[in-house]
Amino acid sequence: MPVCKADLAYSQGMPTEQEIISATSTPGTIVSLTADLVALGLEQSDVVVVHSSLSSLGWVAGGAQAVIEALFMAVGTSGTIVMPSQTGHLTDPANWSHPPVPAAWFPSIRDHTPAFDRNITPPRQMGKIVESFLQHPDTVRSDHPTVSFAARGSQADEIVASHPLVPELGVTSPVGWLYQNRAKVLLLGVTHGNNTSLHLAEYRATWPSKATRQTGAPMIVDGIRQWVAYEDIAMNDDDFEVIGDAFAETGAESAGPVGIGTGRLCNQHEVVDFATDWMNLNRS
């Protein structure tokens, strides 16, 4: 199944709770995590897209709920928190690789997988923080069957209002809104290999082997569940971590402790612009 490195990070090598406890000298709390986030550079009224690994932060009193509350303490009532809530299990099985399924299954999967419903369709391997975030009654979600975004806060409705089927993560998607409105990117215990915003750079950049791919998803069209096939660019996050490391070397990113993990904070438009230029020069 095609997933980004973020998804794989959540599903491979997960530590046990006892291992997390053993690695933690002092439990994280809403108060301590808020202080860490403010020290990192989060400010009141910020709009920030968050990528996270709960286990990387150490043992937290209240778990994912506490992390979310700390995020809102840091940005305040005028701020907005955004998270990807992707549903890779609704993509075309012909493109799956983590893991693949037998080709004989493809017709059954396409014919019988329930259509995306932003109110009840769970994300796939996006982590406990995203799962908890989606459960909050004030969280709203964009209406894309495979790469939806969830948001909560003063500008949440505006962020998720437009998310066309194609381009999935282009300028008219929530990622594009974040770029145009100079949001921030926060990586909690993860790297830029998990940074969904870098896919926007793929739409903007040009390199010799840039290609498209056929995919599809189950959707409700005119009140009827249908498998909808469509074409978009062939996205590839294999170099995202390298791009992120190069961006950090420019000094445009702040890094610091959040719990026992590392938080990385930057302006989304700056890292997307950097990634666009990097892809133009280095992808072949």
Side-chain angles (χ1 to χ4, degrees), residues 3-43:
V3 292
C4 66
K5 292 184 181 69
D7 300 333
L8 294 178
Y10 300 134
S11 63
Q12 295 180 353
M14 288 291 292
T16 66
E17 186 169 16
Q18 182 58 62
E19 290 171 335
I20 295 171
I21 291 170
S22 298
T24 306
S25 58
T26 303
T29 67
I30 295 174
V31 172
S32 70
L33 293 176
T34 301
D36 290 343
L37 293 168
V38 171
L40 189 63
L42 268 189
E43 299 175 332

Side-chain angles (χ1 to χ4, degrees), residues 121-139:
T121 301
R124 182 179 191 270
Q125 295 180 341
M126 297 303 294
K128 292 181 179 179
I129 293 174
V130 173
E131 292 171 1
S132 180
F133 188 65
L134 280 171
Q135 293 175 6
H136 195 281
D138 292 336
T139 295

Side-chain angles (χ1 to χ4, degrees), residues 143-145 147 161-174 230 232:
D143 202 21
H144 195 283
V147 291
S162 173
H163 201 163
L165 188 62
V166 177
E168 293 176 328
L169 297 171
V171 67
T172 53
S173 74
Y230 61 97
D232 203 355

Side-chain angles (χ1 to χ4, degrees), residues 72-244:
F72 275 97
M73 290 289 289
V75 304
T77 56
S78 57
T80 305
I81 303 298
V82 185
M83 299 186 191
S85 54
Q86 299 172 9
T87 47
H89 57 291
L90 300 190
T91 58
D92 193 331
N95 298 325
W96 293 357
S97 57
H98 297 290
V101 295
W105 293 10
F106 295 174
S108 180
I109 292 170
R110 291 174 183 142
D111 290 345
H112 298 289
T113 299
F116 175 77
D117 184 330
R118 60 186 169 192
N119 296 310
I120 63 172
T121 301
R124 182 179 191 270
Q125 295 180 341
M126 297 303 294
K128 292 181 179 179
I129 293 174
V130 173
E131 292 171 1
S132 180
F133 188 65
L134 280 171
Q135 293 175 6
H136 195 281
D138 292 336
T139 295
V140 292
R141 192 178 187 186
S142 68
D143 202 21
H144 195 283
T146 62
V147 291
S148 64
F149 278 76
R152 175 182 156 205
S154 61
Q155 299 186 74
D157 289 332
E158 186 177 352
I159 292 168
V160 304
S162 173
H163 201 163
L165 188 62
V166 177
E168 293 176 328
L169 297 171
V171 67
T172 53
S173 74
V175 175
W177 189 101
L178 296 168
Y179 178 86
Q180 293 167 7
N181 290 274
R182 294 183 173 266
K184 293 180 178 179
V185 173
L186 174 62
L187 306 172
L188 289 178
V190 297
T191 71
H192 283 282
N194 305 35
N195 185 356
T196 305
S197 292
L198 297 187
H199 288 299
L200 177 58
E202 294 190 284
Y203 285 94
R204 301 173 67 219
T206 301
W207 62 92
S209 61
K210 188 173 183 178
T212 61
R213 57 99 166 77
Q214 297 292 325
T215 187
M219 301 174 62
I220 299 296
V221 180
D222 296 328
I224 301 172
R225 184 257 181 225
Q226 298 182 28
W227 179 264
V228 179
Y230 61 97
E231 183 178 12
D232 203 355
I233 69 167
M235 290 181 277
N236 183 356
D237 61 8
D238 286 349
D239 52 13
F240 281 12
E241 190 162 348
V242 173
I243 293 171

Side-chain angles (χ1 to χ4, degrees), residues 264-276:
R264 303 171 72 170
L265 184 70
C266 63
N267 292 318
Q268 196 238 31
H269 70 280
E270 291 183 1
V271 71
V272 169
D273 286 349
F274 180 91
T276 303

